Amino acid sequence: MAKGLGSGELRIGIAGLGTVGVGVLRLLTENQVEISARTGGALRVTAVSARDATRDRGVDLSVLAFEADAAALAARDDVDVLVEVIGGTSGAGADAVMAALRAGKAVVTANKALVAERGAELAALVAEHGGALYFEAAVAGGIPAIKGLREGLAANRVKSVAGILNGTCNFILTKMRAERRAFDDVLAEAQALGYAEADPSFDIDGVDAAHKLAILSAVAFGGVPDFGAIDLRGIRDVTLEDIEMAAEFDFSLKLLGVAKPRVGGPGVRQYVAPVMVPLDNPIASVEDSFNAVVVQADPVDEIMMRGRGAGEGPTASAVVADIIDFARGINPPLFGHSTPVAASGAASGEGAAEERRFWRLLVDDRPGVIAEVSQVLSEQGLSVEKILQTDADGSRAHIFILTHAAPRSIADKVASALDGLSCMVEQPAVYSIED
Ligand code: NAP
Ligand code: HSE
C-alpha cells in the first residue's frame, strides 16, 4: 500500500508542464512554508516531463530531472507520487498513470477524461497493486467538491447533485450576455486565459462537463463513473437571443450537469444541457469562470459550493491538496461506496420529471402564424405560461414561449409538429427550466 510522508520527505514527479503543471510547481514553491507546517515534512519535486525540454515556462526547472517519457518518470525511484497533468484517455498521460498504479505508487491527476472513461480500470489497478489515486482537480477546479461529497457528506443519502461544471462555457455565456460579444471571440479569450481544454470542442459540446458529472455521480450515488450513460448537449447552438430573452423571462441560461435518481425507475438519470435557471436560484448568479456544485441530501438538506472552476491557481490548489492528503495518510475509498450506478440502458430522457420549457421559434412574419403555433400546442395539450414575439429581420419573427410543466414525450411531439409547419424557418430550440 502506498504510504504518505514516511521518511519525512515526499518526492513528486510532475507529468505535464502546461497551465496546471506550472501552477502546481509555483504553488509548491510559493506556499512551501504553510504546506510543510500542515504536512509535518517536505514535499519536493524531483523530476518533470513534457514534450519540449527547452521551453521557458517562467519557473525554474534547472535542478529537476527531465524525462521525455512520462511513463519513465512514473517509474523513477525518486518519485513517490506521480502528478499527471497531461490529459487524455490514452497516450502519455494515461500510460504514466497506469505505470505508476501498477508500481503501487500514488497518483494525483486533474485528468477528468481518464477518470470518467476508464475509472473502473483505474480502480482495479489501485485494488490490485495497493497504490492510491486522487482526482479532486478533475471536478470543478478549486472547489473541494469530491472531498465535500465523499467525506463531508459521507453520512447523507444524496438526492441530487447538480452544477455548473465547465468554466469555459460559463465564461462564454456570461460574456456574451454582459458584453454582447460573439461566441468565437469569447471562446478565444477563455483559451488565452488557460480555461479551455486542448481541444475546446470538449468544453463547448458539453463533454468536459459530462466527464465531471460522471465522476460526481459515482461519488454521490456509488459505483464507478458511467460516462456513456449521460444525455449530452452543449452550448454550440445557443444564440445571443436565447441568452437575452432568458433574462426577459426571469431566467439565466446555464450549462448544467445534473444527476438524480430516475423518476419511476431504477438507476440515476445524468444529463448535461443548457437550461434556464430562475433568477432567484443562487446558481443563476454564478458567473464568469466560476463553477458551482449543489448537493441535495438527507439530512443536510441543500449545500452549494461555489468557486473558480478552471485556470492555473484554482486547479493547482486542488492538485496540491490531494498531494497533502496523501502526505497525511488520508486515503478514502476511491469513489466512496460499492453500490453500482444503474444509469445505463435507459432511453434518452427516460426517468425525467415533468418540466416547464422555454421555446424559441423563428417563423415567417405573416398573418395566422400565431394561430398555427397555438393549434399545435392545443392539439398536444401543452399549456402556455407566457409568450412574446419580436421582429427578427423585417420578414421573419421570433416567438418565445414558456410552457407549463409537461412530460418529455409531449414536448417531443410538439417539437416535431412545430418543425413541420410551413411558417417555421428553422428547427425550434427548446430549453428545460431547471426549477
Ligand atoms: P496544457 O496546458 O495543454 O498542458 C499539457 C502539458 O502536457 C504540456 O506541458 C505538454 O507538454 C504536456 N504533454 C503533452 N503531451 C505530452 C507527452 N507525450 N509527454 C509528456 N508531456 C506531454 O493542459 P492543462 O490545461 O495544464 O491541463 C492538463 C490536465 O488538467 C488535463 O487533463 C485537463 O483536462 C486538466 N485540467 C485542466 C484545467 C485548466 O483549467 N486548464 C482545470 C482542471 C483540469 P509541452 O508543454 O512541452 O507541449
Ligand atoms: N476546460 C475546463 C473548464 C477546465 O473550462 O472548466 C477545468 O476543468
Side-chain angles (χ1 to χ4, degrees), residues 16-21 49-52 55 57 68 70 85-88 92 110-112 137 194-198 309-311 315:
L17 292 175
T19 303
V20 184
S49 178
R51 278 178 299 212
D52 184 345
R55 189 187 314 160
R57 299 170 192 271
V85 282
I86 292 176
N111 186 345
K112 51 259 168 152
Y195 301 157
E197 295 304 298
T315 313

Side-chain angles (χ1 to χ4, degrees), residues 116-117 163 165-166 169 200-214 226-238 255-258 262 269-275 346-350 408 430-431:
E117 297 196 35
L165 300 175
N166 185 268
C169 287
S201 65
F202 272 58
D203 296 291
I204 60 183
D205 291 331
V207 177
D208 177 76
H211 283 144
K212 295 163 181 168
L213 182 68
D226 192 356
F227 174 70
I230 298 180
D231 280 347
L232 187 53
R233 175 181 163 199
I235 63 164
R236 206 179 272 276
D237 299 328
V238 169
L255 183 78
L256 285 196
V258 180
R262 288 185 192 282
R269 177 171 182 243
Q270 305 171 78
Y271 58 94
V272 169
V275 298
S348 179
E350 196 174 293
R408 167 85 169 254
V430 195
Y431 298 97

Side-chain angles (χ1 to χ4, degrees), residues 65-408:
F66 185 91
E67 293 281 356
D69 176 6
L73 175 83
R76 285 176 69 99
D77 287 340
D78 62 355
V79 168
D80 306 312
V81 181
L82 174 78
V83 171
E84 187 270 312
V85 282
I86 292 176
T89 53
S90 61
D95 291 349
V97 168
M98 303 290 173
L101 292 180
R102 277 193 201 98
K105 293 191 179 184
V107 173
V108 172
T109 184
N111 186 345
K112 51 259 168 152
L114 181 65
V115 179
E117 297 196 35
R118 299 180 67 182
E121 212 179 320
L122 298 176
L125 284 177
V126 170
E128 187 180 346
H129 300 283
L133 178 66
Y134 299 81
F135 48 85
E136 183 63 71
V139 178
I143 302 175
I146 299 299
K147 202 177 238 316
L149 254 179
R150 192 173 53 186
E151 294 163 56
L153 299 178
N156 283 261
R157 187 170 50 82
V158 179
K159 296 191 223 165
S160 70
V161 55
I164 295 175
L165 300 175
N166 185 268
T168 301
C169 287
N170 209 36
F171 186 77
I172 291 173
L173 295 173
T174 303
K175 295 281 178 188
M176 280 177 75
R177 192 206 65 238
E179 298 169 14
R180 301 204 88 233
R181 283 167 60 193
F183 187 102
D184 289 342
D185 178 36
V186 188
L187 172 60
E189 189 182 344
Q191 288 177 287
L193 288 166
Y195 301 157
E197 295 304 298
D199 175 356
S201 65
F202 272 58
D203 296 291
I204 60 183
D205 291 331
V207 177
D208 177 76
H211 283 144
K212 295 163 181 168
L213 182 68
I215 299 169
L216 270 182
S217 182
V219 174
F221 296 104
V224 292
D226 192 356
F227 174 70
I230 298 180
D231 280 347
L232 187 53
R233 175 181 163 199
I235 63 164
R236 206 179 272 276
D237 299 328
V238 169
T239 66
L240 189 55
E241 286 88 11
D242 296 336
I243 296 172
E244 292 186 330
M245 206 44 71
E248 275 298 310
F249 279 68
D250 294 327
F251 297 119
S252 178
L253 210 162
K254 295 289 182 194
L255 183 78
L256 285 196
V258 180
K260 52 187 161 191
R262 288 185 192 282
V263 175
V268 176
R269 177 171 182 243
Q270 305 171 78
Y271 58 94
V272 169
V275 298
M276 299 284 180
V277 180
L279 286 177
D280 59 4
N281 184 323
I283 214 165
S285 53
V286 176
E287 301 274 62
D288 205 71
S289 72
F290 280 88
N291 281 194
V293 176
V294 180
V295 183
Q296 289 185 329
D298 193 17
V300 77
D301 199 4
E302 184 173 290
I303 283 187
M304 177 164 137
M305 297 175 263
R306 172 185 178 278
R308 292 245 176 236
E312 179 182 315
T315 313
S317 162
V319 169
V320 175
D322 274 350
I323 301 173
I324 292 172
D325 262 5
F326 177 66
R328 287 168 162 169
I330 299 169
N331 188 12
L334 200 52
F335 296 112
H337 15 15
S338 55
T339 314
V341 175
S344 38
S348 179
E350 196 174 293
E354 295 197 357
E355 286 167 338
R356 294 196 293 160
R357 291 178 177 80
F358 176 93
W359 303 72
R360 173 189 22 98
L361 316 178
L362 182 62
V363 296
D364 291 326
D365 196 0
R366 57 170 167 74
V369 165
I370 288 281
E372 286 176 43
V373 169
S374 300
Q375 191 180 348
V376 167
L377 296 172
S378 154
E379 279 169 6
Q380 298 301 333
L382 186 57
S383 164
V384 171
E385 192 174 324
K386 184 172 173 180
I387 185 163
L388 192 77
Q389 180 174 333
T390 62
D391 178 47
D393 60 8
S395 65
R396 298 181 303 179
H398 274 127
I399 302 175
F400 301 95
I401 310 172
L402 176 63
T403 54
H404 283 292
R408 167 85 169 254

